[in-house]
Amino acid sequence: MSETLAQGLARVGDPVELLRNVDYPAFTFPVHPEFSNWRSESRSWNETVALMDQSHHMTQLFLTGDDIAEVLSPIAVNTFTNFRPGVAKQLISVDHEGHVIGDGILFNLNHATAQGETVVLIGHHVLIDWVRFHVERSGKDVRYRLEGNSNMREGDPTFYRYELQGPRAHDVLEKLLGGPVPEVRFFHIHDFAFAGTTVQGLRHGMAGQPGFEFFGPYAEGETVRQALLDAGAEFGIVRIGAKAYSVTPLESGWVPTPFPAIFGDDPLFVEYREWLPLARTGSIGGSLHAPVEDFYLTPYDLGLGRSVKFDHDFIGREALERIAESPARRKVTLIWDAADVAEVVESQLTPGTPAKYLEFPKARYGFYQFDEVRQDGRRVGVSTDAGYVAYDQLYLSLASVDVDVPDGARVEVVWGEEPNSRKSNVEPHVQARIGATVAPAPYHHYARTTYRDL
């Protein structure tokens, strides 16, 4: 029987020490790393049109039953007044103090799956596990089917999923349909007819560009993909591999893995830690070495405040009502200084202990990446996700900083651990300070000239 999170905590004592040193497997996207090269691929959604294969890397939780909304609403900051077929929402859960546990995309499908499921929650397993826990203990008419990603699952997934993004995405779809593209509201699902079948399409933007996420039975996926590629050929369509796909959050402004606020003393979380396997908890990487509460973030810290609706009772409502009046932090983009990035890279090529290896295009060595952001000798926030945006030739990170730190301000990102943790993907290294400029999130490409040389 696998060790639970509660047992791991009893063995180590401190959640931060436990997760800083746990040997959690590296998160990889189980698709081709590159179809051409990741630099050109990652430029395509800004220049022409990109096709991203999302069929394999996310965990999916398929739900059926009459009480789905009744079970989900008390653990979601989102409203369920508009929860109906053809609508999706970014589902967000928080603890009693308003700190985020996780988020994912909840689809209310136009068409049930072959197994009869009408709702699917897609994302990292962190929120999905929290939802499973509540379904199991609810006693309500809700049943679920857990589908791991293609690294963890045998056989094909239920759905293919293709993201069509970029300034020419509309042209591709217009050619496929042989006429005008219907007006579809953001985060609504529309039925499209092409490739000889019905294709469900969610209107949204994965990389900060207009487009659709198309999905349907996996057996039809190859035919649909080829139809998209054929229609997109004249518009310069580019297939996106795992490396380029990994940087899309930096441009859309979505923080992929906020640290889950599941370590409180409330009996509900004590029970949850006894239920949750340690192997599904994740690992911490980065320079932030502090009490676990310093890793917690609210929806307002992450730019998700617009999703919080006080039209229903949910865990954390009272706390978020107070926080909403005066949030402490805000989400930003940090534009890293080129010279400091180059110095970190150069340290790998000179004698002595180098800085922590800086990966291109995505720099993460923990499931939860948390690096200190400092200004004038004090911590003013955390950097949570970093990587290289080839379109602008900039190294960026998403961060949450104190609200009194304005756009254009100068800060430092502390890169690397002190002391070095025992994770197998952490080599001996010294910490480095990387200067950065605060810019808006989502990142706008005008920041290349507006903020780069401040």
Side-chain angles (χ1 to χ4, degrees):
M1 188 172 180
S2 61
E3 185 178 28
T4 67
L5 176 56
Q7 290 169 332
L9 285 171
R11 173 170 51 82
V12 175
D14 177 66
V16 173
E17 286 304 309
L18 175 66
L19 299 186
R20 281 188 85 244
N21 295 295
V22 68
D23 227 2
Y24 193 78
F27 182 78
T28 58
F29 300 110
V31 296
H32 288 295
E34 298 169 288
F35 288 97
S36 54
N37 69 83
W38 61 261
R39 282 82 58 200
S40 298
E41 289 172 10
S42 64
R43 289 187 178 100
S44 65
W45 55 74
N46 291 296
E47 296 176 338
T48 55
V49 58
L51 182 64
M52 310 172 190
D53 188 347
Q54 297 179 303
S55 308
H56 299 284
H57 74 281
M58 287 294 191
T59 303
Q60 301 188 91
L61 187 70
F62 292 91
L63 299 162
T64 188
D66 293 333
D67 298 332
I68 293 174
E70 186 177 345
V71 171
L72 295 183
S73 182
I75 60 170
V77 306
N78 317 77
T79 184
F80 276 79
T81 58
N82 58 355
F83 190 63
R84 62 185 186 278
V87 174
K89 63 172 71 255
Q90 186 176 7
L91 189 73
I92 304 162
S93 287
V94 301
D95 72 352
H96 294 86
E97 303 304 316
H99 301 119
V100 171
I101 294 170
D103 72 307
I105 306 300
L106 187 71
F107 291 72
N108 199 327
L109 303 172
N110 284 343
H111 309 284
T113 66
Q115 295 89 341
E117 296 125 347
T118 56
V119 174
V120 58
L121 177 62
I122 300 173
H124 289 304
H125 63 273
V126 178
L127 176 65
I128 285 174
D129 287 342
W130 179 244
V131 170
R132 289 170 55 214
F133 169 70
H134 283 275
V135 168
E136 290 181 12
R137 70 195 299 274
S138 70
K140 302 292 185 179
D141 180 24
V142 184
R143 297 166 299 283
Y144 74 77
R145 176 170 61 92
L146 179 65
E147 185 172 280
N149 68 35
S150 292
N151 282 333
M152 304 179 67
R153 184 198 64 251
E154 294 184 3
D156 294 333
T158 298
F159 288 138
Y160 66 82
R161 291 188 180 276
Y162 302 130
E163 193 83 25
L164 190 73
Q165 299 277 299
R168 304 306 299 271
H170 189 91
D171 298 323
V172 175
L173 190 51
E174 193 170 66
K175 183 174 181 179
L176 270 173
L177 299 177
V181 179
E183 290 289 334
V184 182
R185 294 174 60 190
F186 186 72
F187 255 47
H188 282 61
I189 303 167
H190 184 78
D191 282 354
F192 294 92
F194 63 85
T197 188
T198 297
V199 177
Q200 296 184 75
L202 173 69
R203 176 73 174 86
H204 80 133
M206 188 68 193
Q209 291 289 339
F212 282 91
E213 179 178 318
F214 297 113
F215 62 98
Y218 187 76
E220 300 175 359
E222 191 170 333
T223 300
V224 171
R225 181 179 64 232
Q226 193 58 52
L228 290 165
L229 290 172
D230 290 345
E234 69 175 278
F235 305 109
I237 195 168
V238 176
R239 292 187 71 179
I240 304 301
K243 287 186 176 182
Y245 180 82
S246 71
V247 303
T248 56
L250 294 173
E251 295 189 51
S252 67
W254 173 62
V255 176
T257 48
F259 186 83
I262 58 174
F263 295 94
D265 295 330
D266 187 277
L268 178 65
F269 288 94
V270 173
E271 181 184 349
Y272 182 57
R273 293 193 295 268
E274 292 170 348
W275 178 92
L276 183 67
L278 175 60
R280 292 182 69 84
T281 307
S283 64
I284 294 172
S287 59
L288 182 62
H289 196 184
V292 69
E293 293 81 10
D294 289 10
F295 289 80
Y296 291 169
L297 297 165
T298 74
Y300 299 96
D301 299 339
L302 294 168
L304 299 174
R306 65 189 182 279
S307 296
V308 180
K309 303 298 180 186
F310 299 116
D311 62 356
H312 65 295
D313 290 327
F314 60 88
I315 294 172
R317 174 176 169 168
E318 291 184 6
L320 287 182
E321 285 177 327
R322 294 191 302 270
I323 293 168
E325 296 177 358
S326 182
R329 285 183 173 173
R330 66 188 186 98
K331 181 179 67 175
V332 299
T333 301
L334 301 181
I335 301 176
W336 293 17
D337 289 358
D340 290 348
V341 171
E343 188 173 333
V344 169
V345 174
E346 185 181 21
S347 74
Q348 307 293 324
L349 305 172
T350 55
T353 304
K356 179 73 185 75
Y357 184 70
L358 189 63
E359 195 85 49
F360 282 69
K362 195 67 174 287
R364 288 182 70 175
Y365 57 92
F367 190 75
Y368 313 109
Q369 187 71 31
F370 273 71
D371 293 300
E372 280 196 79
V373 178
R374 302 189 72 84
Q375 185 183 61
D376 299 328
R378 66 185 181 95
R379 189 200 309 158
V380 295
V382 289
S383 172
T384 61
D385 205 39
Y388 177 73
V389 175
Y391 182 71
D392 295 294
Q393 296 179 218
L394 294 174
Y395 220 94
L396 309 175
S397 66
L398 296 174
S400 184
V401 300
D402 295 348
V403 294
D404 61 357
V405 178
D407 289 348
R410 296 286 297 158
V411 296
E412 285 185 323
V413 177
V414 183
W415 176 249
E417 298 179 342
E418 180 56 48
N420 295 176
S421 67
R422 297 191 301 274
K423 296 186 292 294
S424 61
N425 59 350
V426 173
E427 73 282 11
H429 66 273
V430 295
Q431 282 187 336
R433 298 291 182 101
I434 299 175
T437 302
V438 178
Y443 168 73
H444 302 295
H445 296 294
Y446 69 78
R448 175 174 185 169
T449 54
T450 305
Y451 294 100
R452 184 171 193 160
D453 298 321
L454 288 177

